[in-house]
């Protein structure tokens, strides 16, 4: 299906709306306990159960509007359904909390394998959205792979040593801010290795 343009605000809302909804719902229900089918579920598990279909609906809407989902979005959706489903089914929040760790290890490991083969799989994943020379892609890929490893370690430390509420704040704002700041500080690399595709302007 041909990729179509969509309002940037709507696209951002579909991508980040489920996460913000999860955060708000958690703050609202975190101290509640729900008896369902003879089993008690705390607010975190109930919110996780609601997050999964909301996320899938937003990704479905994004695919319908744009005709496209990135490979990272598809993999993330699969892991959210799998680990979120395990948390709900087993009534154990640890599976959902370890999901970011596995996502970052998976992506970071895949990038590392590509580097060992002398390839930048980040370039393949980002599908040419960033115009860089090949050397620039290799450098950026190394940095992103190490960055993902750092995020995985950070997530493990936080969910294993701190309370659920701290982890929810970290997941909603900390990870997002870290990714934003990481790419913000790559400005020098983008400037040095940019291909100058806009020279014809």
């Amino acid at each position: 299906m041909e990729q179509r343009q969509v309002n940037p605000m709507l696209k951002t809302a579909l991508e980040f709306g489920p996460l913000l909804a999860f955060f708000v719902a958690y703050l609202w229900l975190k101290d509640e306990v729900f008896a369902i089918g003879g089993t008690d579920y705390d607010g975190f598990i109930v919110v996780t159960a609601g997050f999964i279909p909301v996320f899938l609906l937003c990704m479905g809407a994004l695919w319908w509007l744009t005709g496209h989902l990135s490979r990272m979005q598809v993999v993330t959706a699969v892991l959210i359904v799998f680990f979120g489903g395990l948390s709900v089914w087993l009534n154990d929040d640890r599976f959902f909390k370890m999901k970011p760790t596995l996502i970052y290890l998976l992506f970071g490991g895949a990038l590392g394998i590509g580097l060992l083969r002398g390839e930048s799989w980040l370039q393949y994943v980002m599908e040419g959205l960033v115009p860089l020379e090949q050397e620039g892609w290799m450098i950026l890929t190394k940095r992103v792979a190490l960055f993902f490893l750092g995020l995985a370690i950070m997530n493990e430390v936080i969910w294993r040593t701190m309370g659920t509420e701290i982890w929810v704040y970290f997941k909603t704002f900390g990870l997002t801010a870290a990714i934003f700041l990481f790419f913000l500080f790559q400005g020098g690399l983008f400037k040095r290795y940019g291909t100058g595709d806009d020279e014809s302007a």
Side-chain angles (χ1 to χ4, degrees):
M1 184 180 293
E2 182 182 354
Q3 185 172 353
R4 297 182 293 271
Q5 296 297 318
V6 65
N7 185 290
M9 293 295 292
L10 176 59
K11 185 174 184 291
T12 300
L14 290 172
E15 290 176 339
F16 294 99
L19 181 61
L20 291 177
F22 175 88
F23 175 74
V24 172
Y26 170 76
L27 292 183
W28 180 32
L29 301 174
K30 64 180 180 177
D31 297 322
E32 302 293 332
V33 176
F34 301 84
I36 303 173
T39 302
D40 289 340
Y41 297 89
D42 64 27
F44 183 89
I45 297 296
V46 172
V47 172
T48 298
F51 171 76
I52 297 171
V54 170
F55 178 84
L56 292 178
L57 283 172
C58 287
M59 288 299 98
L62 191 61
W63 176 80
W64 184 72
L65 289 170
T66 66
H68 173 79
L69 288 177
S70 72
R71 297 171 185 87
M72 292 184 70
Q73 287 172 320
V74 173
V75 172
T76 299
V78 170
L79 293 177
I80 283 176
V81 171
F82 181 74
F83 287 101
L86 277 179
S87 283
V88 175
W89 183 34
L90 299 176
N91 198 13
D92 188 337
D93 62 10
R94 292 177 297 176
F95 293 101
F96 194 66
K97 289 177 179 177
M98 69 175 62
K99 171 189 62 67
T101 300
L102 296 175
I103 287 177
Y104 293 127
L105 285 178
L106 178 63
F107 289 150
L111 293 179
I113 292 173
L115 288 170
L116 291 175
R117 294 166 55 93
E119 301 172 354
S120 170
W121 290 358
L122 181 65
Q123 181 180 7
Y124 175 71
V125 170
M126 296 184 72
E127 300 166 342
L129 293 177
V130 181
L132 288 176
E133 298 174 2
Q134 188 60 31
E135 184 179 357
W137 275 115
M138 297 300 290
I139 295 173
L140 180 61
T141 301
K142 292 176 185 177
R143 292 180 181 179
V144 171
L146 292 173
F147 176 64
F148 280 166
L149 176 60
L151 290 182
I153 294 172
M154 191 181 303
N155 185 69
E156 282 296 294
V157 170
I158 289 177
W159 83 260
R160 290 181 184 275
T161 63
M162 301 183 185
T164 295
E165 185 167 349
I166 296 297
W167 180 83
V168 170
Y169 276 95
F170 168 72
K171 175 69 174 69
T172 305
F173 302 108
L175 289 176
T176 302
I179 293 171
F180 174 78
L181 289 174
F182 172 81
F183 281 100
L184 182 66
F185 281 104
Q186 304 311 308
L189 183 146
F190 295 144
K191 182 177 181 180
R192 179 176 180 182
Y193 293 101
T195 58
D197 288 347
D198 58 348
E199 289 180 355
S200 60

